[in-house]
């Protein structure tokens, strides 16, 4: 067994009701690490081009990584990978919760589910004992109730009614954490699979365990001393971003018709902390505890993340936190992605506002939106249309120019008209409109030091670097929020009008050449904690260059999958509203000038003019097509 891995893949076929194990293929594991990199490689290899996401042969892959199951902070996460029923492109989503560690301790690096059960089932994994059990009594139940009915000693991943009814943005829920994006829950529902439950006590080898324990102490202190991971996130949660994005005019408002609203600050992280916060919560073994538990209607429930506030609150004109708490809870319990749900409801409201689809949906009506979420999950009435996502709704009712999605995936809560590099990232990230595969907006608008958000200078190489780092993080698998700590803590104290701040931002903006060179550099040093942890686990040196290459390979593997499924340059696009309509008074701050960045990005990525990955680039990274 190689250090960092259990060495086994569990394959369950729900059509035949059988399972088997196989060794994790060493060559691929060494190239792709685990998580989304390895899962995408496997998905590509075991599916035929054009396979429908709802075809029983479509695999649903749960993957862990080499840091899963260790004491490393922010490491207990899993990735679910499949073909997205929302976009037709690569589909994946990462999740905290308790399944990741327990699946690995049950003895498996990955679980691959294929086939379709005749009736609702769940898979229970207790090391070598793998059973497919009846779940008819759970079908129709919410994600929270479902979890209480399953064995308490197991880590869980479940779907709610949205997954059962194949809402195209249905999620998979583990504890209070959610694998929300790209409709992975709908693929699970299409297999009549209500839940996965796993537990075990197996161990895997860590080569330098004593050093890892020591480094762990250092890292916990480092994260606690850092302003973002030690103060802002624990104190305000991800909702700290409400105030920042409103100040930057980039929080979606009325389906991206505006960049903020006079009432946006009513729903800020500060408001939540002052009036509703019961306590912080967090993922297993994570000292940051960015999750919220809030008082709501006499109960304590999970509080909303920033994205949920942005899309189900601000974007819908719902400017009070209790209504947003209800919407957030419903999204989780019904099992759907709150980003896509908020995006779809906002689009439906604007279609109604313009008389293009008389559906009665109106901005600002929190109770109406709660009812609509239930209708979406059960595909009841107009909920059946909204469950299809913005792209399909636009094909039916019109409004393509303000259907806010990329490749069909609804955009998160950062309007790229105030962070142009983020616009390029949205357009080019393989799974579609996504903020977690690079988070360029942090370097442009929401972080402590920002490169001019309305400039294209240095943005293509910045986006490539950010995407590669994020892909390596999701292959290891760390939580993406670990990247916040990469910005030195001293940066948080700088005066934006001071000399030092201006000098740094100017230097960053002029660093295009250097960044371009760095994209493919093989930096031989082990610098950041990602590389250090992997070095200690594997017992061999993992350098910054190696880590970057793992990320590049995982990212390009996703791109290769998309190319095989027919995605080209035309799909690396933004909705017309984000290209042509400005939300800023200053005429220089136009929509996103994507056309001025895309060719440079392709050149750095090794794509031809049509966006197809070249053989030279595949050879460089050792990717077989
Ligand atoms: S930072 Fe937050 S989301 Fe990430 S692992 Fe920690 S608690 Fe979970």
């Amino acid at each position: 067994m190689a250090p960092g891995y259990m060495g086994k893949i569990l394959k369950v076929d729900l059509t035949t009701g059988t399972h088997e194990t196989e060794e994790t293929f060493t060559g691929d594991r060494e190239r792709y690490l685990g998580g989304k990199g390895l899962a995408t490689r496997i998905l590509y290899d075991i599916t035929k081009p054009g396979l429908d996401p709802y075809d029983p042969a479509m695999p649903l892959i749960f993957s862990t990584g080499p840091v899963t199951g260790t004491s490393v902070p922010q490491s207990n996460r899993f990735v679910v990978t499949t073909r997205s029923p929302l976009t037709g492109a690569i589909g994946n989503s990462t999740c905290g919760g308790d399944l990741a560690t327990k699946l690995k301790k049950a003895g498996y690096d990955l679980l691959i589910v294929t086939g379709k059960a005749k009736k609702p089932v769940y898979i229970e994994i207790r090391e070598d004992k793998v059973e497919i059990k009846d779940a008819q009594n759970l079908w129709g139940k919410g994600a929270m109730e479902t979890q209480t009915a399953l064995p308490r000693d197991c880590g869980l991943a479940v779907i709610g009614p949205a997954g059962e009814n194949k809402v195209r943005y249905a999620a998979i829920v583990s504890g209070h954490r959610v694998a929300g994006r790209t409709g992975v829950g709908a693929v699970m529902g299409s297999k009549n699979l209500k839940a996965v439950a796993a537990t075990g006590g197996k161990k895997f080898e860590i080569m330098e365990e004593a050093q890892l324990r020591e480094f762990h102490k250092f890292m916990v202190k480092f994260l606690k001393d850092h302003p973002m991971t030690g103060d802002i996130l624990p104190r305000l949660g991800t909702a700290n971003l409400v105030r920042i994005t409103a100040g930057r005019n980039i929080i979606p408002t009325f389906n991206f018709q505006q960049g903020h609203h006079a009432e946006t600050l009513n729903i800020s992280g500060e408001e939540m902390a002052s009036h509703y916060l019961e306590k912080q919560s967090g993922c297993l073994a994570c000292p940051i505890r960015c999750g919220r538990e809030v008082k709501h209607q006499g109960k304590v429930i999970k509080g909303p993340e920033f994205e949920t506030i942005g899309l189900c609150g601000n974007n819908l004109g719902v400017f009070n936190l209790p209504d947003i708490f209800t919407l957030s809870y419903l999204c989780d319990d019904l099992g759907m992605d709150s980003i896509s749900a908020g995006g779809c409801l906002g689009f439906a409201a604007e279609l109604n506002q313009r008389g293009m689809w008389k559906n009665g949906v109106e901005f600002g009506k929190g109770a109406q939106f709660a009812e609509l979420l239930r209708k979406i999950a059960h595909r009841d009435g107009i909920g059946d249309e909204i469950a299809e996502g913005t792209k399909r709704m636009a094909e039916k009712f019109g409004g393509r120019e303000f259907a806010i999605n990329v490749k069909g995936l609804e955009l998160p809560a950062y309007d790229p008209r105030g962070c142009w590099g983020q616009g390029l990232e949205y357009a080019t990230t393989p799974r579609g409109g996504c903020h977690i595969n690079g988070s360029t907006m942090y370097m442009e608008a929401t972080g402590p030091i920002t490169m001019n958000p309305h400039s294209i200078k240095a943005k293509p190489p910045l986006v490539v670097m950010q995407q590669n780092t994020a892909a390596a993080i999701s292959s290891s698998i760390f939580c993406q929020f670990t990247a916040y700590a990469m910005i030195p803590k001293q940066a948080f104290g700088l005066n934006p009008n001071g000399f030092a701040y201006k000098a740094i931002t100017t230097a960053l903006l002029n660093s295009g050449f250097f960044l371009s060179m760095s994209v493919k550099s093989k930096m031989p040093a082990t610098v950041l904690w990602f590389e250090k942890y992997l070095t200690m686990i594997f017992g061999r040196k993992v350098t910054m260059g190696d880590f970057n290459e793992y990320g590049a390979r995982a990212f390009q593997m996703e791109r290769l999958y998309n190319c095989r499924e027919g995605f080209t340059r035309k799909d690396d696009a933004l909705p017309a509203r984000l290209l042509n309509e400005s939300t800023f008074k200053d005429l220089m701050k136009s929509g996103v000038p994507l056309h001025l960045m895309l060719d440079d990005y392709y050149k750095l990525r090794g794509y031809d003019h049509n966006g197809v990955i070249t053989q030279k680039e595949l050879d460089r990274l050792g990717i077989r097509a």
Side-chain angles (χ1 to χ4, degrees):
M1 194 194 305
Y5 299 96
M6 302 306 309
K8 268 192 197 166
I9 299 174
L10 175 63
K11 298 166 99 176
V12 177
D13 183 337
L14 293 173
T15 303
T16 58
T18 57
H19 70 273
E20 60 181 350
T21 59
E22 86 179 24
E23 302 282 307
T24 318
F25 178 49
T26 316
D28 281 345
R29 194 179 57 206
E30 282 172 3
R31 280 199 155 75
Y32 297 93
L33 275 183
K36 88 167 178 183
L38 186 56
T40 310
R41 175 75 262 172
I42 292 172
L43 181 76
Y44 186 93
D45 286 343
I46 66 176
T47 54
K48 291 202 173 77
L51 187 68
D52 189 275
Y54 295 146
D55 190 302
M58 177 58 67
L60 184 70
I61 305 174
F62 296 79
S63 56
T64 66
V67 299
T68 312
T70 66
S71 58
V72 172
Q74 304 178 292
S75 67
N76 287 295
R77 303 179 69 78
F78 63 97
V79 180
V80 192
T81 304
T82 187
R83 186 178 184 194
S84 168
L86 184 64
T87 67
I90 184 75
N92 53 46
S93 196
T94 70
C95 188
D98 52 4
L99 180 76
T101 298
K102 295 206 171 176
L103 177 64
K104 194 158 171 187
K105 289 192 172 172
Y108 307 103
D109 297 320
L110 296 98
L111 164 67
I112 304 177
V113 184
T114 52
K116 179 180 179 179
K118 286 198 181 71
K119 54 187 173 48
V121 295
Y122 74 96
I123 302 170
E124 188 173 309
I125 305 161
R126 293 182 182 273
E127 300 190 349
D128 299 335
K129 190 175 174 199
V130 178
E131 294 175 281
I132 299 170
K133 294 189 163 179
D134 185 18
Q136 287 178 94
N137 61 329
L138 299 175
W139 208 246
K141 295 200 187 313
M144 301 310 154
E145 189 183 346
T146 300
Q147 293 187 87
T148 59
L150 290 166
R152 284 178 182 268
D153 61 333
C154 288
L156 303 172
V158 310
I159 57 168
E164 295 170 11
N165 294 312
K166 292 187 277 190
V167 172
R168 288 187 187 271
Y169 40 91
I172 294 175
V173 180
S174 181
H176 286 291
R177 312 306 295 191
V178 180
R181 307 242 66 197
T182 69
V184 290
V187 175
M188 189 156 158
S190 76
K191 298 183 175 307
N192 275 332
L193 178 62
K194 181 69 178 174
V196 173
T199 192
K202 295 200 177 183
K203 293 199 166 73
F204 58 93
E205 196 173 12
I206 295 171
M207 294 305 281
E208 296 168 11
E209 202 154 7
Q211 290 95 318
L212 190 129
R213 269 200 299 274
E214 274 311 300
F215 187 61
H216 173 69
K217 286 184 209 154
F218 165 81
M219 269 313 291
V220 170
K221 185 168 179 332
F222 172 79
L223 291 170
K224 288 198 163 175
D225 284 348
H226 192 278
M228 182 50 100
T229 50
D231 175 36
I232 298 170
L233 278 173
R235 187 161 49 84
L236 301 174
T238 51
N240 76 83
L241 287 161
V242 173
R243 191 177 277 265
I244 296 169
T245 50
R248 293 279 182 174
N249 196 36
I250 58 168
I251 186 164
T253 312
F254 304 130
N255 195 38
F256 289 73
Q257 295 183 71
Q258 297 167 207
H260 71 285
H261 187 272
E263 293 181 72
T264 299
L265 296 189
N266 295 348
I267 55 175
S268 67
E270 287 81 355
E271 279 294 306
M272 187 156 52
S274 300
H275 303 295
Y276 302 98
L277 185 66
E278 179 74 12
K279 61 176 179 171
Q280 298 145 335
S281 65
C283 306
L284 202 65
C286 177
I288 297 171
R289 305 188 72 70
C290 72
R292 313 283 88 183
E293 289 192 19
V294 295
K295 291 171 271 198
H296 182 51
Q297 297 175 341
K299 289 188 187 150
V300 175
I301 61 166
K302 177 187 153 191
E305 301 286 344
F306 165 67
E307 301 300 333
T308 310
I309 296 175
L311 271 303
C312 288
N314 214 71
N315 193 48
L316 301 182
V318 176
F319 299 112
N320 75 83
L321 280 169
D323 277 356
I324 297 171
F325 294 162
T326 299
L327 298 176
S328 168
Y329 179 82
L330 281 172
C331 283
D332 287 359
D333 193 44
L334 295 165
M336 70 177 95
D337 174 20
S338 61
I339 298 177
S340 280
C344 289
L345 288 170
F347 183 55
E350 186 169 348
L351 285 172
N352 187 48
Q353 194 178 48
R354 290 170 178 264
M356 296 169 74
W357 178 30
K358 297 270 191 194
N359 53 34
V361 183
E362 289 178 36
F363 289 112
K365 298 202 167 169
Q368 185 192 40
F369 288 124
E371 194 45 42
L372 281 167
L373 288 178
R374 293 187 186 94
K375 283 181 183 283
I376 293 169
H378 292 95
R379 285 190 171 270
D380 176 15
I382 63 166
D384 192 32
E385 305 284 2
I386 304 173
E388 289 292 285
T390 49
K391 189 171 167 216
R392 286 174 177 80
M393 285 159 72
E395 281 162 8
K396 185 160 182 183
F397 301 109
R400 204 171 140 223
E401 59 284 7
F402 57 89
I404 308 298
N405 68 70
V406 171
K407 299 183 177 65
L409 184 67
E410 287 72 25
L411 256 56
Y414 312 89
D415 187 329
R417 287 169 290 188
C419 38
W420 288 351
Q422 183 61 49
L424 176 63
E425 184 186 317
Y426 285 147
T428 56
T429 291
R431 77 174 182 175
C434 156
H435 65 295
I436 214 79
N437 278 300
S439 304
T440 305
M441 76 289 179
Y442 193 63
M443 298 298 294
E444 294 186 293
T446 63
I449 294 181
T450 55
M451 297 162 75
N452 183 351
H454 291 105
S455 167
I456 61 167
K457 274 177 95 176
K459 298 299 169 63
L462 177 69
V463 170
V464 172
M465 286 187 71
Q466 297 278 114
Q467 287 173 328
N468 287 351
T469 303
I473 288 173
S474 290
S475 298
S476 301
I477 313 166
F478 297 95
C479 168
Q480 292 291 342
F481 295 163
T482 189
Y484 280 132
M486 287 166 69
I487 304 287
K489 63 181 182 182
Q490 293 77 3
F492 286 75
L494 291 177
N495 171 4
N497 297 315
F499 173 76
Y501 184 96
K502 285 185 178 157
I504 293 169
T505 50
T506 306
L508 283 172
L509 213 54
N510 288 306
S511 65
F513 176 73
F514 172 74
L515 288 177
S516 300
M517 298 305 290
S518 312
V519 162
K520 291 176 187 167
S521 88
K522 298 220 174 203
M523 168 83 98
T526 298
V527 182
L528 293 170
W529 51 95
F530 315 118
E531 303 122 36
K532 289 185 178 170
Y533 276 127
L534 292 175
T535 296
M536 286 177 240
I537 291 170
F538 294 153
R540 65 175 165 83
K541 189 172 177 183
V542 177
T543 66
M544 199 177 209
D546 294 332
F547 195 70
N548 185 39
E549 198 167 282
Y550 283 130
R553 193 175 291 121
F555 185 94
Q556 301 288 46
M557 193 61 235
E558 290 181 286
R559 182 79 183 191
L560 182 64
Y561 181 86
N562 280 1
C563 287
R564 191 183 77 173
E565 299 304 331
F567 285 76
T568 62
R569 185 183 186 106
K570 71 179 181 336
D571 302 293
D572 293 337
L574 292 171
R577 167 166 290 167
L578 305 183
L579 298 172
N580 305 327
E581 294 174 24
S582 180
T583 46
F584 292 84
K585 291 196 184 94
D586 182 343
L587 288 180
M588 294 304 287
K589 297 175 179 176
S590 64
V592 184
L594 182 62
H595 63 292
L596 298 179
M597 297 186 279
L598 202 55
D599 284 335
D600 285 349
Y601 175 90
Y602 278 10
K603 209 185 281 174
L604 286 164
R605 275 287 180 208
Y607 302 160
D608 67 16
H609 179 75
N610 205 26
V612 176
I613 189 164
T614 58
Q615 189 60 45
K616 191 174 164 201
E617 176 68 359
L618 294 175
D619 291 343
R620 180 181 82 82
L621 293 167
I623 299 173
R624 63 178 186 278

